[in-house]
Amino acid sequence: MVEESHDPMDGQASDPTQTPGKKAPFHGRLIRKLALVFLAFIAVGVALNCLLSYVNTRSTYLSTQTDRLSQIGDYASDSILSSVDISDEYESWIENRTALKTYTSRLQAYSDSNRLTAQVEALTTKIAEKEEGGEDATAKREQLAETKAKSDAAYAAYTYLSVEDMLSRLVSKFEVARISLLKAYPQTKSVTYIAQSEDADEESDHTFLEDEARPDGYEDLWSVVQSNEELDEVAVSPDGSRYLMYVSLEDEDASWVLEIAMDTDEFNQSVWNQMFGTLAVSFVVFSACLAGMLVILRNTLVAPIETLASHVREYGRTKDPGMAGLIRSEKFPSDEIGDLADATESMIDQIQDHVEHVSRLSAERERATSELAVAHRIQLSALPPVAPPYTGQEGFRIAASMNPAKAVGGDFYDFFMVDERRCAFLIADVSGKDVPAALFMMHAKTLLRQLLTLGVEAAESMTLANNGLAQNNDEEMFVTVWLGVLDTKTGKLDYSNGGHNPPLMRRADGSVEWLRERSGFFLGSFEGIEYQGKRLQMNPGDTLLLYTDGVTEAIDLDEKCYGDDRLHDLLASIDPQTPAELVEDIKKDVAAYAGEAEQADDITILALRYEG
């Protein structure tokens, strides 16, 4: 009774294609990007130009203002010293402090001073006349003293207001914020305000003889007071609101200083006003350069690239090989763009050649796949049929399976009845794979079947088959064979092993043993080899397992082999009721061991159970 299982090859071929999405034309995108780059460049350039212009303009303007303020201070100093005697007038101002507060108009003080001076002269004349006449002039002298004091006070107010008016006129004429006449005291780091120009900022007005401490931030003031030398550059007030210039007036008792102040806001505004023209010219020049460069780039770079890109997109859409000629006909510039165009049209020609080559290869591959499928079907058809002519034969059961690693494998098995009571069976493994191995396998299978059918013993059949396979073996192929002939009546087994894996015998009592005897070398390599026959006795319930090295050499993901020991232990641990169950159990265990690892060799199994 025969139980047979085959593992057919399932072949699938796929040739997926992808349709690339059409992209919208990018007319203007490149020129916009270039414009953005140049705008960024202009922005950076203008910013740097602004910074450098501001630094240079400010430095130049500050130097100019230093000289201007110094000249204003010298002019004010000369004007004050030429009009009043500071030391004498200072004492008079202190003495007539009330009059300084009373008079608000220089002209009024001047008028009162002239009027009172005339009264003094008139009283002086009257006193002289009375004294000459012998009259008492005491009352007139008291009136004279009082009038003279008022005249001195009016004159002191006049000189003080003259100084303040002069400072105010200088402020208006030279457009500075304020000019102050100070008396400085280096020992106490303080100053006394003597006179000051009119200031729009009322909070900064100082009264006569008002004291102010200047300990920190006024180093330039004390440097001028102590050295009596002009400043090289203007000083800055501690709060940063004004630029200050100090000019000293020599005095025997104390240091007299003119302080000329200029608002920093006005100074910065003047700097920006001077810079505005430079910035406007720079912006216009940069913009004109940008426009010119964009026009040049548009005509020499962007337009050719857009034309080339359009042809490439059209080729990608149509796959028309004529696009190479169209690109070749365009007049691209003789630069990198021209090189790119040449490379593109050459690439299109190469792609077209490659597509044609791939098409030919695909056709050849399809033919080869079809031929392999036919060879696979032929190979399977050469195996013993599921329902052989001896169906119903008693005394044994047999099952087999072959799973090739490729479409066509080099393993094969065979079993058939030699006569009414003897069954021949074999398993073999041909070197190599695919069609050559299958052809060599068919040759070996045919020779062995013919010899055994003629009644030749197992060992002699191996000898004669080896000689036949070795003749004209230009490919130097060989095959390992294990061949047995079982007497189904007595259980006697004659066998011969030509270099094949040793089979396993599972006795009826569950013990497992190896049949490691070899009768000779593998078949097909050398002529004249004499193979020896072996014999053993099979008892009812004994099972013989034949296999190829695809079983024991199956590897897992760690590239470790299944091995002889695992096969031995598996056969000892299971108790299959039929050979077909044994074959399936071995196939499942090998598959579980290999996991996701790729099958490297053909897996062929044959199991025979003697029932007696």
Side-chain angles (χ1 to χ4, degrees):
M1 183 176 182
V2 179
E3 301 169 354
E4 185 175 11
S5 61
H6 296 281
D7 291 339
M9 178 190 72
D10 294 330
Q12 295 181 349
S14 61
D15 187 17
T17 60
Q18 295 180 351
T19 302
K22 292 179 64 177
K23 205 169 188 179
F26 65 99
H27 299 299
R29 287 187 293 168
L30 182 57
I31 197 67
R32 285 197 297 270
K33 291 181 180 179
L34 291 174
L36 289 176
V37 170
F38 281 106
L39 284 175
F41 171 75
I42 286 180
V44 173
V46 170
L48 291 177
N49 188 43
C50 288
L51 179 61
L52 294 176
S53 297
Y54 177 77
V55 172
N56 292 332
T57 303
R58 187 178 186 280
S59 176
T60 302
Y61 193 70
L62 190 61
S63 176
T64 302
Q65 293 302 316
T66 299
D67 295 339
R68 190 174 77 91
L69 295 180
S70 177
Q71 293 175 2
I72 294 172
D74 291 340
Y75 181 79
S77 174
D78 294 341
S79 298
I80 292 174
L81 294 177
S82 64
S83 60
V84 295
D85 186 343
I86 291 294
S87 299
D88 293 341
E89 296 296 341
Y90 178 58
E91 297 296 333
S92 176
W93 294 340
I94 292 176
E95 182 178 348
N96 298 281
R97 185 183 308 178
T98 302
L100 268 59
K101 293 180 181 181
T102 301
Y103 286 101
T104 58
S105 171
R106 178 175 62 86
L107 294 177
Q108 181 185 1
Y110 179 73
S111 175
D112 287 352
S113 175
N114 290 336
R115 179 176 58 80
L116 293 173
T117 300
Q119 291 180 3
V120 168
E121 292 177 354
L123 288 172
T124 302
T125 301
K126 289 181 180 180
I127 291 173
E129 291 176 351
K130 283 189 177 186
E131 287 180 349
E132 289 178 1
E135 297 182 7
D136 185 7
T138 301
K140 292 295 183 184
R141 281 196 291 270
E142 291 178 356
Q143 184 180 1
L144 175 63
E146 181 180 353
T147 302
K148 190 174 185 308
K150 290 181 180 180
S151 176
D152 292 340
Y155 183 76
Y158 164 71
T159 56
Y160 180 80
L161 292 175
S162 296
V163 172
E164 283 199 338
D165 285 348
M166 180 184 63
L167 296 179
S168 297
R169 288 194 300 273
L170 291 175
V171 166
S172 177
K173 179 178 180 180
F174 294 107
E175 297 180 351
V176 293
R178 187 183 66 196
I179 300 179
S180 303
L181 177 61
L182 309 176
K183 192 170 185 180
Y185 301 95
Q187 298 81 3
T188 60
K189 294 294 175 59
S190 63
V191 296
T192 299
Y193 280 88
I194 305 303
Q196 179 176 283
S197 62
E198 293 183 358
D199 199 327
D201 186 2
E202 297 180 356
E203 295 181 358
S204 64
D205 287 345
H206 297 278
T207 59
F208 177 65
L209 297 182
E210 180 180 343
D211 294 328
E212 182 178 274
R214 294 193 176 183
D216 299 321
Y218 292 94
E219 289 78 8
D220 293 322
L221 167 62
W222 305 119
S223 174
V224 170
V225 171
Q226 293 174 355
S227 64
N228 197 24
E229 295 180 357
E230 295 184 358
L231 295 177
D232 295 333
E233 60 181 18
V234 294
V236 182
S237 62
D239 61 359
S241 62
R242 289 186 173 181
Y243 288 111
L244 304 174
M245 173 58 69
Y246 299 100
V247 177
S248 65
L249 283 73
E250 295 183 2
D251 185 78
E252 297 178 357
D253 299 330
S255 295
W256 294 81
V257 179
L258 282 173
E259 181 182 71
I260 302 95
M262 179 174 62
D263 290 337
T264 55
D265 291 340
E266 295 180 1
F267 174 84
N268 293 330
Q269 184 62 41
S270 300
V271 172
W272 281 111
N273 291 338
Q274 292 190 19
M275 283 179 57
F276 181 76
T278 303
L279 296 180
V281 172
S282 299
F283 182 78
V284 171
V285 171
F286 273 118
S287 299
C289 292
L290 170 65
M293 293 178 69
L294 288 178
V295 170
I296 295 174
L297 289 174
R298 179 68 179 84
N299 296 331
T300 61
L301 177 65
V302 177
I305 290 178
E306 287 184 347
T307 301
L308 180 59
S310 176
H311 293 332
V312 172
R313 285 197 303 273
E314 184 65 17
Y315 174 76
R317 186 179 65 84
T318 63
K319 302 298 186 295
D320 181 8
M323 295 305 300
L326 183 59
I327 293 175
R328 200 175 291 113
S329 66
E330 295 284 354
K331 295 182 179 180
F332 289 101
S334 300
D335 53 15
E336 286 77 4
I337 298 178
D339 295 340
L340 178 61
D342 294 340
T344 301
E345 55 93 0
S346 177
M347 179 186 66
I348 291 176
D349 291 338
Q350 293 176 6
I351 289 175
Q352 194 63 29
D353 294 341
H354 180 70
V355 168
E356 294 175 357
H357 179 67
V358 169
S359 298
R360 290 194 298 270
L361 290 179
S362 298
E364 293 174 1
R365 184 173 58 196
E366 290 178 0
R367 262 195 319 273
T369 302
S370 177
E371 293 172 357
L372 288 175
V374 173
H376 178 71
R377 290 194 296 270
I378 294 173
Q379 184 181 31
L380 292 181
S381 67
L383 299 176
V386 176
Y390 50 88
T391 301
Q393 178 71 38
E394 297 182 356
F396 71 96
R397 289 187 179 186
I398 194 168
S401 172
M402 185 182 71
N403 183 22
K406 295 186 177 181
V408 180
D411 288 4
F412 70 94
Y413 62 85
D414 199 4
F415 52 87
F416 53 91
M417 296 303 294
V418 176
D419 51 34
E420 293 182 356
R421 58 185 296 173
R422 290 190 304 160
C423 175
F425 59 96
L426 63 93
I427 191 168
D429 186 359
V430 179
S431 61
K433 298 288 184 295
D434 294 330
V435 175
L439 294 175
F440 195 79
M441 176 268 288
M442 295 293 290
H443 188 197
K445 181 177 180 294
T446 302
L447 283 175
L448 288 170
R449 178 180 274 263
Q450 288 177 348
L451 291 169
L452 290 169
T453 303
L454 293 174
V456 181
E457 296 295 330
E460 183 65 18
S461 296
M462 296 278 280
T463 299
L464 296 175
N466 174 64
N467 292 334
L469 293 172
Q471 293 178 1
N472 301 320
N473 187 8
D474 297 334
E475 298 296 329
E476 297 183 352
M477 301 185 72
F478 60 88
V479 58
T480 65
V481 181
W482 199 99
L483 170 63
V485 178
L486 174 66
D487 188 329
T488 61
K489 300 298 183 182
T490 64
K492 291 181 180 180
L493 176 64
D494 294 325
Y495 67 92
S496 182
N497 186 353
H500 197 75
N501 301 78
L504 282 165
M505 176 69 76
R506 189 180 192 280
R507 296 295 182 178
D509 59 2
S511 62
V512 179
E513 60 186 60
W514 292 99
L515 303 181
R516 296 188 180 278
E517 300 87 349
R518 287 195 177 186
S519 306
F521 207 50
F522 39 73
L523 284 66
S525 294
F526 307 101
E527 292 186 67
I529 298 176
E530 295 291 335
Y531 287 83
Q532 299 178 358
K534 305 294 181 181
R535 177 173 291 182
L536 61 79
Q537 179 66 44
M538 291 187 69
N539 300 315
D542 291 348
T543 301
L544 180 63
L545 175 65
L546 305 179
Y547 59 92
T548 59
D549 55 8
V551 175
T552 54
E553 293 180 5
I555 60 174
D556 59 7
L557 293 176
D558 296 329
E559 298 187 355
K560 294 181 180 179
C561 289
Y562 184 85
D564 294 341
D565 294 339
R566 184 181 179 99
L567 181 61
H568 179 279
D569 295 341
L570 175 65
L571 192 59
S573 63
I574 61 176
D575 185 17
Q577 299 301 312
T578 63
E581 293 179 1
L582 175 60
V583 171
E584 290 300 322
D585 289 342
I586 294 174
K587 288 169 58 180
K588 291 178 180 178
D589 192 62
V590 172
Y593 178 81
E596 298 295 330
E598 183 180 1
Q599 181 181 338
D601 201 357
D602 304 334
I603 297 176
T604 305
I605 306 170
L606 186 147
L608 181 142
R609 181 186 180 91
Y610 178 63
E611 296 182 346

